[in-house]
């Protein structure tokens, strides 16, 4: 069930920031384009956010876009962003609530909205009479210049007299044509925005995989380990098949876990279950709250590090949300010593990934999750990141989980190593073996527990197949 109350969840805050920034950028760009219809692009990001998000996420995105618009274009740009965000909200909610009848709801909602906006504009012009006089004088001068051009081109006196009478009527009944223009513009913008939104939405599946982040008790101390998954599974809303099923896995403090599987096999979904997502079936048992981002809780490092960098400089990014942090020590541990004052936008991909790792380590998490952090870096940086994860695990007791993609679409397989070299806890499940070139098993032969396996660090013996490289 979708939660309708409470503060913004992390996914909602991220979506509001992204769509708010996109709205602000489009408002500035379209202000430079001498085409009025281009303004409809400003409403589209908010429409997509309204199609799946809560009202407070839309308000957050609108406020963020309004602040940028105020700096870039002044109060009139803010007013345009607010109006177009309202149109986008109407389009998104109509698409989500009424489906095929959404176009009629957009029309029914945009007409009263246009009337209210027209009344507001006319009321402001009536109050600020100097602005109204300046606007009408500019319109009169422009139209009289056009009349003189037609007269010089040989237009008849009757044509000139008709233009003069039309201009006098427009100046006298200014509230009629200004209000009508605002009404027509509002309704037309809403319908055009809905048409563009509908074409994109019907060809997109991004909204079908939205999930609910579980409730967390902000007063309890984080205690995410040990975590045990018992026949856990998850099915995304709007789908007819499980993204993950029959997962039976236990992660104890101090373990290093590698989750290996092909694209679409459920690695990221399994990681989200470890990070606190409630399964749709099965059980996830842990002693206390997950504590995402809190000291002693759970920290995640994503595949694209730029999405986690918030500060302008390296030191500012490490101190984000934390009071007690040794910046120099953290940077030295991840290989970024002496870069405290370096701008984050000047860092390379590997350096950004190291900075994201340092930011996660600054919170001293009990459970550190690295979601394919080596996928976008070269071989040397990949080896350094793996070494940093393993070395730090020996310095501070914690568990580390790292998903890794393979080219073969196989179910996710978890391989664990104990923090102590001499420990050899025998697993009840089939250990991970190096893949052979034999053909795959028939479809009726399926391993239990969705392919989950565990291995321990143990010496190799002659005649026994060694573990794969990721399990070493």
């Amino acid at each position: 069930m979708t939660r309708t109350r409470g503060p913004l969840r992390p996914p909602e805050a991220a979506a509001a920031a992204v769509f708010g920034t996109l709205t602000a950028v489009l408002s500035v760009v379209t202000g430079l384009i001498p085409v009025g219809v281009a303004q409809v692009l400003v409403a589209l990001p908010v429409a997509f956010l309204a199609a799946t998000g809560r009202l407070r996420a839309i308000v957050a995105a609108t406020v963020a876009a309004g602040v940028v618009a105020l700096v870039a274009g002044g109060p009139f740009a803010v007013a345009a962003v607010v109006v177009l965000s309202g149109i986008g909200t109407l389009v998104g909610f109509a698409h989500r609530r009424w489906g095929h009848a959404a176009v009629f709801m957009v029309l029914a909602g945009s007409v009263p909205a246009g009337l209210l906006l027209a009344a507001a504009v006319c009321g402001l012009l009536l109050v600020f009479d100097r602005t109204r006089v300046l606007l009408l004088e500019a319109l009169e001068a422009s139209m009289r210049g056009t009349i003189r051009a037609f007269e010089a081109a040989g237009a008849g006196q009757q044509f000139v007299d008709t233009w003069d009478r039309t201009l006098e009527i427009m100046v006298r009944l200014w509230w009629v044509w200004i209000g009508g223009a605002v009404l027509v513009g509002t309704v037309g913008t809403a319908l055009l925005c809905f048409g563009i939104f509908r074409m994109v939405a019907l060809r997109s599946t991004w909204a079908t995989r939205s999930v609910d982040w579980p409730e967390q008790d902000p007063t309890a101390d984080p205690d995410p380990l040990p975590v045990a998954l018992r026949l856990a599974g998850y099915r995304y809303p709007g789908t007819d098949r499980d993204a993950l099923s029959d997962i039976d896995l236990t992660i104890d403090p101090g373990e290093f876990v590698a989750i290996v599987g092909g694209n679409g096999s459920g690695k990221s979904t399994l990681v989200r279950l470890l990070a606190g997502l409630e399964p749709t079936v099965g059980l996830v048992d842990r002693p206390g709250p997950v504590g995402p981002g809190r000291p002693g809780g759970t920290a995640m490092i994503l595949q694209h590090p730029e999405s986690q960098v918030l500060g302008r400089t390296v030191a500012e990014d490490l101190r984000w949300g934390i009071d007690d942090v040794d910046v120099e020590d953290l940077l030295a541990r991840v290989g970024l010593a002496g870069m405290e004052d370096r701008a984050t936008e000047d860092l390379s991909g590997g350096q950004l990934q190291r900075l994201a790792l340092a930011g996660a380590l600054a919170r001293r998490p009990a459970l550190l999750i690295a979601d394919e952090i080596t996928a976008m870096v070269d071989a040397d940086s990949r080896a350094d990141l793996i070494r940093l994860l393993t070395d730090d695990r020996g310095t501070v007791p914690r568990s580390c989980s790292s998903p890794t993609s393979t080219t073969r679409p196989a179910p996710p397989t978890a391989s664990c190593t104990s923090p102590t070299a001499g420990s050899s806890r025998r697993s009840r499940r089939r250990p991970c073996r190096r893949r052979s070139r034999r053909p795959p098993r028939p479809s009726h032969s399926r391993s239990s527990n969705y392919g989950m396996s565990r291995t321990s660090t143990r010496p190799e013996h002659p005649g026994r197949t060694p573990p794969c490289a990721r399990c070493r």
Side-chain angles (χ1 to χ4, degrees):
M1 180 179 295
T2 304
R3 188 176 61 170
T4 58
R5 296 183 179 180
L8 286 176
R9 300 166 294 172
E12 290 179 318
V18 171
F19 285 103
T21 303
L22 185 58
T23 301
V25 171
L26 288 175
S27 67
V28 174
V29 173
T30 54
L32 304 176
I33 301 176
V35 180
V37 72
Q39 297 292 333
V40 73
L41 299 176
V42 181
L44 286 175
V46 180
F48 282 100
L49 183 61
T52 56
R54 291 189 294 165
L55 182 60
R56 63 180 59 207
I58 302 170
V59 172
T62 304
V63 170
V67 171
V68 178
L70 178 63
V71 176
F76 291 103
V78 177
V81 166
V82 172
V83 172
L84 292 171
S85 296
I87 294 176
T89 302
L90 173 63
V91 170
F93 274 118
H95 172 77
R96 181 170 68 179
R97 296 288 180 89
W98 288 283
H100 296 291
V103 63
F104 301 104
M105 301 308 302
V106 170
L107 179 61
S110 60
V111 170
L115 291 174
L116 290 176
L117 186 60
V121 172
C122 293
L124 290 175
L125 290 177
L126 188 62
V127 173
F128 299 99
D129 54 346
R130 292 186 179 181
T131 303
R132 183 183 74 254
V133 171
L134 181 62
L135 175 64
L136 295 178
E137 286 180 351
L139 175 65
E140 184 178 4
S142 177
M143 292 190 67
R144 290 196 180 282
T146 304
I147 294 174
R148 298 294 177 267
F150 279 114
E151 188 176 6
Q157 186 62 34
Q158 184 178 1
F159 177 80
V160 174
D161 293 341
T162 302
W163 269 93
D164 286 335
R165 286 194 299 272
T166 303
L167 180 59
E168 292 177 0
I169 293 174
M170 292 181 64
V171 172
R172 186 172 66 255
L173 302 177
W174 59 269
W175 54 274
V176 175
W177 65 268
I178 290 180
V182 172
L183 175 61
V184 173
T186 302
V187 176
T189 301
L191 293 177
L192 182 59
C193 177
F194 176 77
I196 299 175
F197 170 84
R198 192 75 170 198
M199 287 190 298
V200 177
L202 291 178
R203 293 167 175 80
S204 175
T205 58
W206 64 273
T208 60
R209 297 179 66 86
S210 61
V211 296
D212 299 326
W213 205 258
E215 298 279 356
Q216 296 291 339
D217 184 6
T219 60
D221 293 331
D223 194 7
L225 293 175
V227 56
L229 284 71
R230 296 292 177 259
L231 298 178
Y234 191 84
R235 175 177 298 184
Y236 287 95
T239 60
D240 56 356
R241 60 185 298 269
D242 292 333
L244 211 60
S245 63
D246 298 335
I247 300 297
D248 194 4
L249 174 68
T250 300
I251 298 179
D252 295 318
E255 286 189 322
F256 189 99
V257 183
I259 303 173
V260 183
N263 292 331
S265 60
K267 302 184 305 299
S268 296
T269 304
L270 176 56
V271 163
R272 297 177 76 172
L273 291 179
L274 295 175
L277 180 66
E278 292 293 337
T280 54
V281 294
L283 172 68
V284 177
D285 184 24
R286 54 176 61 89
V290 178
R294 298 172 57 188
T298 302
M300 287 190 67
I301 311 173
L302 304 179
Q303 178 179 349
H304 301 282
E306 59 272 9
S307 62
Q308 293 183 272
V309 176
L310 302 176
R312 295 173 299 175
T313 63
V314 172
E316 180 180 333
D317 184 75
L318 287 182
R319 293 192 180 98
W320 193 280
I322 306 178
D323 297 330
D324 183 17
V325 55
D326 191 344
V327 176
E328 296 181 357
D329 179 67
L330 278 174
L331 294 180
R333 284 162 59 186
V334 299
L336 297 179
M339 295 189 179
E340 292 87 347
D341 299 326
R342 182 86 171 267
T344 54
E345 60 184 11
D346 296 335
L347 299 179
S348 64
Q351 290 173 334
L352 284 174
Q353 201 62 272
R354 292 169 182 264
L355 178 59
L357 176 59
L361 297 178
R363 287 158 173 78
R364 300 179 296 277
L367 176 60
L368 177 61
I369 300 175
D371 191 357
E372 298 196 32
I373 63 171
T374 62
M376 306 296 292
V377 298
D378 54 26
D380 294 336
S381 299
R382 184 180 301 114
D384 291 340
L385 288 172
I386 296 299
R387 177 184 54 80
L388 289 172
L389 290 175
T390 54
D391 291 350
D392 182 79
R393 186 170 54 91
T395 304
V396 181
R398 64 166 56 89
S399 290
C400 179
S401 175
S402 177
T404 304
S405 291
T406 62
T407 56
R408 183 178 177 183
T413 302
S415 302
C416 307
T417 58
S418 175
T420 307
S423 64
S424 58
R425 180 161 53 102
R426 185 175 298 275
S427 172
R428 297 181 180 178
R429 302 173 179 85
R430 180 170 50 84
C432 177
R433 298 294 184 183
R434 185 174 296 170
R435 288 193 178 95
S436 64
R437 296 183 179 272
R438 293 179 297 177
R441 295 181 178 181
S443 58
H444 64 272
S445 177
R446 183 169 64 89
S447 59
S448 62
N449 297 327
Y450 204 71
M452 307 302 292
S453 62
R454 298 170 62 94
T455 59
S456 300
T457 302
R458 54 190 307 174
E460 299 181 5
H461 296 281
R464 189 177 288 180
T465 304
C468 63
R470 289 191 178 92
C471 297
R472 292 180 181 272

